[in-house]
Amino acid sequence: MELTATTTIRKPAPQVYAFWRDLENLPTFMAHLEQVRTTGERTSHWTADAPFGKDVGWDAEILEEVPGEKIAWRSTGNADVPNAGTVRFVPAPDGVSTEVHVVLVYDIPGGTIGKAVAKYFGEEPHQQLDDDLRRLKQVLETGEVVRSDGAPWGKRARKEFPQRPAQPLSDAELAKGADA
Amino acid sequence: MKANTWAGRNKVEVRDVPDPKILNNRDAIVRITSTAICGSDLHLVDGYVPTMQDGDVLGHEFMGEVTEVGSGVDQARLRVGDRVVVPFPIACGACAACAAELYSCCENTNPNAGIAEKMFGHPVAGIFGYSHLTGGFAGGQAQYARVPFADVGPLKIESDLTDEQVLFLSDILPTGYMGAEMCDIQPTDVVAVWGAGPVGQFAMDSARVLGAAKVIAIDKEPYRLQMAEQAGHTPVNFDEVDVRSRLLELTGGRGPDKCIDAVGMEATHGSAHIAAYDRVKQAVRSETDRPHALRQAIMSCRSGGVVSVIGVYGGLLDKFPAGAWMNRSLTLRTGQCHVQRYMKPLLERIERGEIDPTRIITHTLPLNEAEHGFEMFKNKQDNCEKVVLKP
């Protein structure tokens, strides 16, 4: 499965590139990621969030990096869901912003994990990546993922539809947080 | 706290809900001193805006005192104790739309942008108390509200103007003003405004402030037309006269130079069969909007004129007079109001006495009586024009 998405962020390309190149930032906006841990200059270990399939982790390596312009990576070893990605950073015509163009490729296997992944992406798999990039834009332009009362848990927003009502959260809901 | 909530189609209910808390660093909590019922709240209550949920706190016109600010709020711009009017669109101040002062199209403040995008092609900003399509933010018909990006939108009131004088800077005064501004008004212009509700009244006042030669008010409620007439505008009652003929008469056959639709998706109509046609289509959801005022504005406007739309439309409409629009060189301009753009200049106009926003207030009720307020406003009982609620 190949997913593509693009957004424009009102920040210069070197800044957007630097944020993405620190791979540990990816889980702040990519819904399916629980954690990315850097293990070497070009290597890292990625852990998926529960909806993607419990306890799914894989190693990844950066294949190509052109500062300010492009990063390409792929999973290595026996990843449960072999995957690869490329992101390009292109200066926008306004002279201020950066176009972010992403391509993700998943080699979805059969079996339980394959089913969990397929279920996670649902009928509109690209919507997930579109939402990821919207959050990347929020983080870079405003500092954090925007929360509403109806969608209080940031990157879980789409999974929560129909949402909780647009009324303030109780202390109990706040204490339980995103795990509620 | 107490809050007025959506409880299903045609039903609002004041309920006890939790007090709001800071969720994002740049949030503030505002203790609300005055709030209002807007005509667009009726679209929600009448069930014509999708993605409402039982328990949603309503209200997008409110003001009050800042009681708490998040750690990321720029203290030079907003502090605890400040008295503020809160604009209805939530804007981040950092995206390309905000940089272009298109605040109601902010690219970052709608957590449900993916849904809005499906409906509108591109997403729109978050709005307080205005469905999950615009973010699922709790509204301001309540004792307290959480205000995101509190150092971007809210306008500090540092003079001793009353709540009633400044409350409508949150929405309807800027909305009416933008409707007139989009008309690019010239001193020779006759401006016709469809709808003499609160937004229409402010569009009329704004057209006059911007120098129009004559302003015409079109409605069917005698008390609303009388209110417009008292403010110096020329009333036309579409229940009593044929609007197009009357407008031709008032303009020497030219038609109004500029036309403002301050009605939107739930227009009523003097002609029963056309009204019935739209009502049926809307009821079976094959047309989401009843666009009668817009059609009439387009047909009435002089060739080369401007039709400015500030009445709310939600989706699709039928029988749009594209031929008149195209062949007669009409310009159609519209937008949810970019409130933040207008708050300061309009506050100055209020301070100078050029606009008196209080003239439209007919009812002031405690928040507890919100349901009664909605009923009066919706059914135009007791000459209701604008309801202010006191939490």
Side-chain angles (χ1 to χ4, degrees), chain B residues 72-205:
Chain B
V73 170
D74 180 353
Q75 296 270 335
R77 307 196 63 164
L78 195 79
R79 288 166 188 265
V80 169
D82 284 346
R83 183 178 177 225
V84 291
V85 180
V86 179
F88 79 82
I90 303 170
C92 76
C95 66
C98 287
E101 294 196 305
L102 297 167
Y103 300 102
S104 71
C105 301
C106 175
E107 297 160 14
N108 283 321
T109 53
N110 186 350
N112 298 328
I115 302 154
E117 190 174 63
K118 284 198 174 62
M119 199 119 172
F120 298 145
H122 289 275
V124 292
I127 297 178
F128 293 101
Y130 205 68
S131 86
H132 290 253
L133 191 64
T134 57
F137 290 92
Q141 286 165 11
Q143 293 179 299
Y144 292 88
R146 175 180 81 101
V147 177
F149 297 105
D151 50 3
V152 177
L155 175 74
K156 271 197 269 188
I157 303 296
E158 288 162 310
S159 58
D160 55 1
L161 294 170
T162 62
D163 277 15
E164 283 70 14
Q165 284 174 292
V166 294
L167 172 62
F168 303 139
L169 288 168
S170 57
D171 175 356
I172 54 174
L173 179 55
T175 296
Y177 185 86
M178 184 168 118
E181 192 194 59
M182 288 191 293
C183 289
D184 187 21
I185 290 169
Q186 305 299 311
T188 52
D189 279 350
V190 176
V191 179
V193 179
W194 273 256
V199 167
Q201 300 280 349
F202 286 151
M204 295 168 210
D205 290 357

Side-chain angles (χ1 to χ4, degrees), chain B residues 178-331:
Chain B
M178 184 168 118
E181 192 194 59
M182 288 191 293
C183 289
D184 187 21
I185 290 169
Q186 305 299 311
T188 52
D189 279 350
V190 176
V191 179
V193 179
W194 273 256
V199 167
Q201 300 280 349
F202 286 151
M204 295 168 210
D205 290 357
S206 301
R208 187 185 45 214
V209 161
L210 291 171
K214 185 197 291 246
V215 180
I216 299 169
I218 303 159
D219 205 299
K220 73 180 170 78
E221 298 297 332
Y223 73 94
R224 293 189 164 187
L225 289 168
Q226 199 182 356
M227 184 177 266
E229 195 172 11
Q230 275 163 4
H233 313 303
T234 306
V236 171
N237 187 329
F238 70 73
D239 255 1
E240 291 169 0
V241 297
D242 176 70
V243 172
R244 189 167 169 278
S245 314
R246 181 72 184 130
L247 289 176
L248 289 175
E249 200 179 304
L250 285 167
T251 57
R254 301 184 305 276
D257 302 280
K258 309 289 162 65
C259 295
I260 299 176
D261 169 4
V263 176
M265 63 160 100
E266 293 185 66
T268 47
H269 191 300
S271 160
H273 61 279
I274 294 179
Y277 166 86
D278 279 321
R279 279 217 75 112
V280 168
K281 291 210 72 161
Q282 198 174 32
V284 300
R285 301 294 188 265
S286 73
E287 172 182 58
T288 58
D289 301 353
R290 300 197 299 266
H292 178 67
L294 179 58
R295 288 181 194 134
Q296 198 172 57
I298 290 172
M299 295 306 284
S300 303
C301 193
R302 75 142 161 93
S303 293
V306 176
V307 176
S308 165
V309 181
I310 47 177
V312 173
Y313 289 88
L316 307 172
L317 54 82
D318 201 0
K319 304 278 187 290
F320 177 80
W325 173 45
M326 187 273 159
N327 288 287
R328 296 199 300 105
S329 297
L330 299 178
T331 299

Side-chain angles (χ1 to χ4, degrees), chain A residues 8 10-11 94 97 124 126-127 130-131 134-139 141-154 157-158 160-174, chain B residues 1 5 15-26 51 53-57 92 94-96 99 107-115 117-118 123 132-133 135-139 146 148-149:
Chain A
T8 298
R10 202 159 179 272
K11 293 288 174 187
D94 68 358
S97 307
E124 296 177 89
H126 60 88
Q127 177 79 54
D130 286 344
D131 288 345
R134 257 191 271 278
R135 285 185 290 267
L136 169 68
K137 182 177 161 72
Q138 288 171 11
V139 169
E141 290 184 343
T142 80
E144 56 185 337
V145 174
V146 176
R147 295 157 189 267
S148 72
D149 313 271
W153 308 125
R158 192 178 76 102
E160 290 167 344
F161 222 86
Q163 305 182 322
R164 66 181 301 289
Q167 64 171 246
L169 285 82
S170 66
D171 291 330
E173 281 176 295
L174 272 174
Chain B
M1 67 167 185
T5 62
R15 297 185 230 203
D16 283 309
V17 303
D19 288 346
K21 286 116 192 153
I22 303 277
L23 290 181
N24 279 115
N25 286 336
R26 287 166 72 192
T51 74
Q53 290 185 211
D54 186 17
D56 286 353
V57 178
C92 76
C95 66
E107 297 160 14
N108 283 321
T109 53
N110 186 350
N112 298 328
I115 302 154
E117 190 174 63
K118 284 198 174 62
H132 290 253
L133 191 64
F137 290 92
R146 175 180 81 101
F149 297 105

